[in-house]
Amino acid sequence: WGRLGGWMALGQGEQRAEGVQIQIIYFNLETVQVTWNASKYSRTNLTFHYRFDGDEAYDQCTNYLLQEGHTSGCLLDAEQRDDILYFSIRNGTHPVFTASRWMVYYLKPSSPKHVRFSWHQDAVTVTCSDLSYGDLLYEVQYRSPFDTEWQSKQENTCNVTIEGLDAEKCYSFWVRVKAMEDVYGPDTYPSDWSEVTCWQRGEIQDACAETPTPPKPKLSKFILISSLAILLMVSLLLLSLWKLWRMKKFLMPSVPDPKSIFPGLFEIHQGNFQEWITDTQNVAHLHKMAGAEQESGPEEPLVVQLAKTEAESPRMLDPQTEEKEASGGSLQLPHQPLQGGDVVTIGGFTFVMNDCSYVAL
């Protein structure tokens, strides 16, 4: 026989009307409670008839349970009986549900009584009054505010010792009794839990304080802290880059780019310095002076000639002297040889240069 959702299903040889479910609980081998859920007869007072011997006549229930003014169950005295209960639920004289059940299969032990605690260092022994019948399990559950779930330990007698406890912590305890499944079957009910008892340092407490939950950080404070942390990291990164640049500049000074100093060296002469210096220093164009009259003839290039000796230097005369000589003038200036270094002739003028002299054009 089995139960569906706490209610009995129909067994072999049983009769049941549609919409009727039965539940049986045998309280501590003393009282049998039979309840029914008859949705089809919700406005009807059904009657309960029973017997403990298959050959006896049915007796009618004298202690009904009512729900919304109508019968919904029956309580029977059946102390220490290991019998089969035969019963019939009727609507008047018409049977609605007829069945038979072993009552002990629906045993529900009573809650433990006279629960006591004996503490010794990091262990506690829980005792209570044993029930008058056997094949039971006495279960003790305990937890501290730091535990997320109840811890459990059970014994065949109500003498359960729990070890490994922290005397500084507060523990909550409760006890219940269960029927052994291999003896009473799978349809029994555990007893109700005893009252919760709190203990700390071997002394009973009113209650165990719950573990305080840390407050959640406010969003604005979180954003502020995050922003400051990011700003600090960016500042440290920029400082590191600046120090690295300073170190690199100290160890490897920058070399000036020759392109800006020697225009045309790389663009025209492909880096050939000899060609570039020959092209830029031996030939230059004569530019007109500002305010000078425009000459009709073609522009003559300015030629620079270097002479090492007097023999190689051409004789250069002043243009005015030549004009006077041509006109027959008698004034003549004696030609003095140039001494002291290289002779440079520029636009009809002659200069002498030594090794440390420069000519600005």
Side-chain angles (χ1 to χ4, degrees):
W1 303 304
R3 286 180 289 113
L4 296 175
W7 296 90
M8 244 186 281
L10 183 64
Q12 185 176 4
E14 298 178 355
Q15 298 178 359
R16 187 181 71 173
E18 184 179 357
V20 177
Q21 293 178 311
I22 299 297
Q23 183 184 46
I24 299 176
I25 301 177
Y26 195 6
F27 291 105
N28 201 36
L29 298 182
E30 296 174 356
T31 304
V32 177
Q33 174 183 286
V34 182
T35 55
W36 55 82
N37 180 13
S39 58
K40 186 177 180 180
Y41 305 94
S42 58
R43 299 295 180 181
T44 304
N45 283 320
L46 301 178
T47 58
F48 183 82
H49 302 264
Y50 69 96
R51 61 186 179 185
F52 296 106
D53 190 342
D55 297 332
E56 296 179 354
Y58 282 102
D59 293 328
Q60 186 173 348
C61 177
T62 58
N63 190 3
Y64 282 102
L65 301 175
L66 300 179
Q67 184 177 3
E68 297 181 356
H70 301 280
T71 57
S72 61
C74 178
L75 288 177
L76 302 174
D77 292 331
E79 187 174 356
Q80 298 291 334
R81 297 184 68 104
D82 187 12
D83 298 330
I84 299 175
L85 175 64
Y86 302 88
F87 60 93
S88 175
I89 301 173
R90 302 175 184 178
N91 181 12
T93 58
H94 175 68
V96 173
F97 190 100
T98 302
S100 60
R101 294 287 186 271
W102 284 96
M103 294 184 295
V104 292
Y105 288 172
Y106 306 98
L107 173 65
K108 181 178 181 178
S110 63
S111 298
K113 298 178 181 179
H114 307 105
V115 180
R116 294 175 295 273
F117 295 83
S118 300
W119 287 87
H120 35 91
Q121 296 182 353
D122 61 345
V124 61
T125 300
V126 183
T127 59
C128 63
S129 300
D130 289 333
L131 298 180
S132 58
Y133 49 94
D135 300 321
L136 301 173
L137 294 175
Y138 296 85
E139 180 184 12
V140 178
Q141 288 190 355
Y142 60 96
R143 62 173 294 182
S144 72
F146 302 95
D147 298 326
T148 57
E149 298 179 352
W150 288 90
Q151 309 297 318
S152 179
K153 187 174 183 180
Q154 57 187 20
E155 298 288 350
N156 294 335
T157 60
C158 195
N159 192 325
V160 182
T161 300
I162 301 172
E163 299 178 344
L165 301 179
D166 187 352
E168 297 300 321
K169 293 182 180 179
C170 181
Y171 290 92
S172 301
F173 297 89
W174 59 4
V175 188
R176 70 176 179 179
V177 186
K178 299 187 297 184
M180 292 184 179
E181 184 176 339
D182 56 349
V183 176
Y184 295 96
D187 296 323
T188 59
Y189 304 86
S191 71
D192 296 331
W193 288 102
S194 65
E195 293 184 0
V196 177
T197 306
C198 299
W199 291 82
Q200 185 177 16
R201 301 187 188 92
E203 298 179 357
I204 192 169
Q205 306 291 328
D206 294 335
C208 290
E210 294 294 333
T211 305
T213 304
K216 296 183 179 179
K218 295 182 179 180
L219 183 60
S220 58
K221 186 177 181 180
F222 174 76
I223 294 176
L224 178 61
I225 295 176
S226 302
S227 302
L228 292 177
I230 294 174
L231 181 61
L232 178 61
M233 288 190 293
V234 172
S235 301
L236 292 176
L237 178 61
L238 293 177
L239 181 62
S240 301
L241 293 176
W242 180 76
K243 286 186 173 294
L244 181 63
W245 176 79
R246 290 288 304 273
M247 183 64 67
K248 182 179 179 181
K249 186 177 180 181
F250 176 76
L251 297 177
M252 296 181 294
S254 60
V255 179
D257 189 358
K259 289 184 179 180
S260 60
I261 304 175
F262 307 102
L265 175 62
F266 295 94
E267 294 84 353
I268 301 175
H269 299 283
Q270 306 299 323
N272 192 326
F273 188 77
Q274 295 295 333
E275 292 182 2
W276 176 85
I277 195 171
T278 302
D279 185 44
T280 56
Q281 290 191 359
N282 287 344
V283 179
H285 292 284
L286 178 62
H287 296 278
K288 297 178 182 179
M289 297 179 61
E293 294 183 358
Q294 185 175 5
E295 298 180 358
S296 59
E299 210 175 45
E300 295 294 335
L302 179 65
V303 178
V304 179
Q305 296 181 354
L306 301 178
K308 287 291 182 179
T309 62
E310 280 186 38
E312 295 177 354
S313 62
R315 180 184 177 191
M316 306 302 284
L317 299 178
D318 183 71
Q320 295 180 357
T321 307
E322 291 182 352
E323 291 179 0
K324 290 181 180 181
E325 288 180 354
S327 60
S330 60
L331 181 60
Q332 294 184 355
L333 294 176
H335 175 70
Q336 297 292 332
L338 301 175
Q339 312 242 353
D342 296 335
V343 178
V344 179
T345 302
I346 302 175
F349 296 93
T350 303
F351 301 91
V352 178
M353 296 176 53
N354 56 26
D355 293 338
C356 297
S357 299
Y358 293 88
V359 177
L361 302 180

